[in-house]
Amino acid sequence: MSHEGHYREAHPLIFVFTHWINLLCMIGLAFTGFYIHYPFFAGFMNGARTIHFTLMFILLINLTSRVILAFWVKDANQLGSKAVDTDLKNWLPQEENKHQFMETVKYYLFFRNTRVISAKYGALQKIAYLATVPIILYMAYTGFALYTPAQSWGIWPFFAAGVSFFGGAMGIRIAHYFGMWVVILFTMVHAYLAAIDGFKPLWGLIFLWRES
Amino acid sequence: MAQEVRGEFYDLLAARGVTRRDFMKFCGSVAAVIGLSEVYAPQIASAIAAGTLQPALWLAHGLCTGCTESMAQIGVPDVPTIVLDLLSVNYWETVMAAAGTQAEDNITATVDKGGYIVIVEGSVMTGQGGNVLRIAGKPGVDELKEVCSKAKAVIAVGSCAVDGGWVAGDPNPAKATGVQAYLAQNGIKTPVVNLPTCPVNPEWVVSVLVDYLLVGALPPLNEFNEPKSLYSETIHDNCPRRGHFENGEFVQFGSADQTAQEAAGFCLYQMGCKGPQTKTTCPLVRWNRRVSWCVESGSPCIGCGTADPLKGGPGNWVDAGTPFLSRLADTRLPGIGGVQPSTIGAVVGGVAAAGLVVHGVVSASKGRIKGVPQESEKKFDSKNKSSEGGDK
């Protein structure tokens, strides 16, 4: 038994680009973030901070573009199909698959052996992808709250509320730090599942836009 | 105004070894600290020289007397001492000569007369019904409530008076809290000015007092009731070591180059400096007769100027700043205690990575990597086919 076919209709070229941008930003943000947290070699602090802020702006622009594109780019919503529909349907959990959620959990915990019928993205997968939006916004909010500690900016009260919510400047620093681990865990699981579920056709398509 | 008063005042200063020139220089620096141009120095001099004695009470609660010690470091003889003499401080437990009933009578007399201000040093000890700290045979909080409710203003000096400070650190057995929070809980509406740091910087106390004597009102305050002019910019932004931070030049604790790095005045960020998140004017005003301050003398900032007076708890700088030599505070896990967030992150990441490896091995053994057949029908549908017609 082989894996389902992966067609260009499932991942249009524009989303190959947005996915690349996400990946490169995440790697850059995590590396410079770790450096800003604890500078493990000398001479890079100014560069690390500049890169960190720049990449976050790029990531936010990319996220905004990706969300807007989801409303009008058409791509395949079903596994192994070339029939296209609005991309947004890939994001939102479907009513017809709500009973497949627990079955998917059981499958990944080896309590069942046949794959679960689902759309292009499984029930768990949809929730995980949808969650990336609030996670990125959360990282942006906590990050900017750390970036604007002087009260001279007019926008400060918007962030001061968050600083107070997390119990002060140290609290929001730790919240931002743990948020990065959530992103890292997501990326680990995401890459792992994409690797065991047909590494060659899937990665070839999403990174090189190559059908196999 | 009041030329003759001014003359007497300068005689008084001269008797203390302070020249008129010294005094005017001091007034200029006070102007700078309270955010005025130096052209206001003569007005400040007049306000101080002609000021009627402002009655004041300096209350001692859960304290180490460090703030009083700090006040003593404004120089001997130095002008601020004279300025403080212009206040009629009727009670200051640590330094006054009076004792016992005679001393306590001073409080009663001042409160009865009214028109006084209160300076509180030390945390409010509410534990055991206030009996953790008893003053003059009564719970200390009783004295605080009575004195503060009738005062024109309260100045909380030092972190302990602001939000409980060290005394309120986890697990806070004395149930210590700050003055502003305690007064708010008891419906006392007297305005409170908070001056955190441990100990308080005497220059700031003087600036608030002069501001009060000069304009008859408290200075503009931020959301934490701290004077805006003193608590709006981070230590990091005004730090003399800031250039080394930007260049990525850090003092590395325990490295072979540590001595050379310290000698070069490198940034103390890696040693857990809390300067980037602490808002005070320490780098500008400095301490001990403006000689030096923590970071300049080689110690990372421990964040003692951080306060969220009405919130307390995890906002307290002692809980949020320890361990002082670490970049982040410990996260307190139930049953385990304080753990560094980086340790938690590494453990969670490691466990997740190990879990994925195990999952991968099991998946491979079950042939999933090559591909697994899909179910022919949803389980829910096959179960409910006869009764409900299946899933949509």
Side-chain angles (χ1 to χ4, degrees):
Chain A
M1 178 70 199
S2 64
H3 296 280
E4 300 288 343
H6 293 281
Y7 307 113
R8 285 180 174 175
E9 284 77 2
H11 299 287
L13 187 58
I14 183 75
F15 293 158
V16 171
F17 281 116
T18 55
H19 186 255
W20 264 113
I21 294 170
N22 276 338
L23 175 66
L24 295 176
C25 285
M26 292 296 180
I27 292 171
L29 282 164
F31 177 77
T32 52
F34 268 121
Y35 184 88
I36 295 165
H37 164 65
Y38 192 83
F40 38 86
F41 60 92
F44 186 52
M45 183 54 91
N46 194 11
R49 279 159 52 90
T50 307
I51 293 170
H52 199 72
F53 302 140
T54 309
L55 290 184
M56 196 63 205
F57 276 113
I58 294 173
L59 188 65
L60 283 178
I61 293 167
N62 196 46
L63 174 70
T64 312
S65 320
R66 183 65 185 81
V67 171
I68 293 170
L69 287 169
F71 283 87
W72 63 277
V73 170
K74 291 192 186 306
D75 56 5
N77 294 155
Q78 298 302 321
L79 205 59
S81 164
K82 290 187 177 184
V84 295
D85 200 351
T86 313
D87 173 62
L88 190 68
K89 293 184 180 172
N90 281 319
W91 293 50
L92 305 175
Q94 300 143 293
E95 170 74 20
E96 71 245 34
N97 280 337
K98 68 178 178 187
H99 298 293
Q100 299 294 77
F101 178 83
M102 280 315 295
E103 294 303 318
T104 312
V105 174
K106 281 185 200 167
Y107 173 75
Y108 285 125
L109 293 179
F110 302 108
F111 288 114
R112 55 172 287 163
N113 284 321
T114 48
R115 272 194 304 118
V116 181
I117 291 176
S118 71
K120 184 173 77 186
Y121 298 141
L124 271 179
Q125 204 175 1
K126 283 199 174 194
I127 292 168
Y129 290 177
L130 200 57
T132 58
V133 180
I135 290 171
I136 292 170
L137 293 178
Y138 164 88
M139 291 306 281
Y141 179 82
T142 52
F144 283 121
L146 294 174
Y147 180 48
T148 57
Q151 297 167 10
S152 52
W153 291 14
I155 200 167
W156 171 246
F158 173 66
F159 293 113
V163 174
S164 178
F165 175 80
F166 286 107
M170 178 57 84
I172 202 162
R173 244 180 188 77
I174 294 171
H176 189 72
Y177 181 79
F178 281 145
M180 183 204 58
W181 277 103
V182 172
V183 175
I184 290 175
L185 290 181
F186 168 85
T187 312
M188 283 166 66
V189 175
H190 177 57
Y192 164 75
L193 290 177
I196 65 163
D197 192 16
F199 173 76
K200 209 175 158 192
L202 200 51
W203 288 44
L205 188 65
I206 199 67
F207 288 122
L208 304 171
W209 214 46
R210 198 161 59 197
E211 287 181 354
S212 55
Chain B
M1 71 187 267
Q3 200 64 38
E4 65 282 13
V5 176
R6 196 183 288 181
E8 276 175 28
F9 177 72
Y10 287 128
D11 291 344
L12 185 65
L13 288 181
R16 304 257 184 157
V18 177
T19 65
R20 184 179 297 233
R21 184 179 164 79
D22 287 340
F23 180 68
M24 291 309 290
K25 269 167 67 182
F26 166 74
C27 292
S29 63
V30 167
V33 170
I34 61 179
L36 298 173
S37 153
E38 279 199 27
V39 297
Y40 285 95
Q43 271 129 299
I44 289 172
S46 303
I48 295 170
T52 51
L53 288 184
Q54 166 67 52
L57 298 169
W58 184 296
L59 299 184
H61 281 255
L63 83 173
C64 67
T65 71
C67 292
T68 297
E69 283 285 340
S70 181
M71 290 304 291
Q73 296 308 315
I74 50 180
V76 182
D78 204 338
V79 190
T81 319
I82 317 296
V83 174
L84 291 173
D85 280 349
L86 285 174
L87 286 176
S88 168
V89 182
N90 297 340
Y91 185 93
W92 190 338
E93 196 172 287
T94 317
V95 297
M96 67 189 175
T101 320
Q102 186 198 3
E104 300 307 320
D105 286 347
N106 282 349
I107 294 186
T108 320
T110 310
V111 171
D112 289 346
K113 215 171 168 187
Y116 59 97
I117 58 173
V118 182
I119 300 163
V120 183
E121 178 184 356
S123 65
V124 185
M125 312 273 265
T126 67
Q128 299 176 16
N131 286 305
V132 171
L133 175 74
R134 287 177 69 82
I135 298 173
K138 292 184 295 184
V141 289
D142 289 359
E143 177 206 58
L144 190 76
K145 274 189 280 193
E146 192 194 336
V147 172
C148 290
S149 61
K150 292 171 187 162
K152 284 164 76 178
V154 177
I155 303 173
V157 297
S159 301
C160 293
V162 172
D163 68 0
W166 289 100
V167 192
D170 187 57
N172 192 8
K175 300 211 170 7
T177 185
V179 174
Q180 193 192 353
Y182 185 75
L183 296 185
Q185 282 157 17
N186 287 279
I188 296 168
K189 297 196 165 45
T190 312
V192 179
V193 180
N194 289 315
L195 297 175
T197 61
C198 180
V200 71
N201 189 319
E203 315 279 350
W204 302 339
V205 181
V206 170
S207 82
V208 172
L209 291 173
V210 169
D211 216 352
Y212 189 74
L213 292 175
L214 182 66
V215 294
L218 295 171
L221 304 175
N222 66 15
E223 74 263 39
F224 302 127
N225 275 25
E226 300 159 342
K228 275 186 185 169
S229 57
L230 304 174
Y231 294 88
S232 289
E233 289 178 27
T234 64
I235 285 178
H236 192 55
D237 286 343
N238 292 314
C239 184
R241 297 178 191 248
R242 177 62 187 255
H244 292 295
F245 172 83
E246 298 295 344
N247 293 342
E249 294 164 341
F250 302 99
V251 174
Q252 293 164 311
F253 200 56
S255 91
D257 300 330
Q258 188 184 339
T259 312
Q261 289 161 346
E262 286 183 318
F266 281 3
C267 175
L268 303 171
Y269 184 79
Q270 268 192 4
M271 297 179 73
C273 182
K274 307 295 185 291
Q277 65 208 49
T278 308
K279 293 176 192 168
T280 71
T281 51
C282 297
L284 307 176
V285 176
R286 305 196 280 185
W287 298 71
N288 294 332
R289 280 164 257 174
R290 306 182 186 191
V291 169
S292 184
W293 62 292
C294 308
V295 170
E296 197 169 331
S297 62
S299 160
C301 168
I302 59 174
C304 69
T306 303
D308 194 348
L310 289 179
K311 198 166 182 188
N316 184 309
W317 74 275
V318 178
D319 291 336
T322 46
F324 291 134
L325 295 183
S326 293
R327 282 278 307 115
L328 297 179
D330 278 347
T331 300
R332 286 173 177 78
L333 298 177
I336 298 176
V339 184
Q340 274 288 290
S342 45
T343 310
I344 296 173
V347 168
V348 171
V351 168
L356 292 181
V357 169
V358 171
H359 198 277
V361 170
V362 178
S363 294
S365 74
K366 287 182 176 277
R368 283 191 184 182
I369 305 219
K370 286 183 193 151
V372 183
Q374 194 174 56
E375 60 188 355
S376 56
E377 188 176 33
K378 292 181 185 173
K379 210 173 172 185
F380 181 83
D381 288 349
S382 34
K383 263 193 202 165
N384 297 280
K385 199 178 277 177
S386 53
S387 56
E388 291 170 26
D391 206 351
K392 283 179 202 168

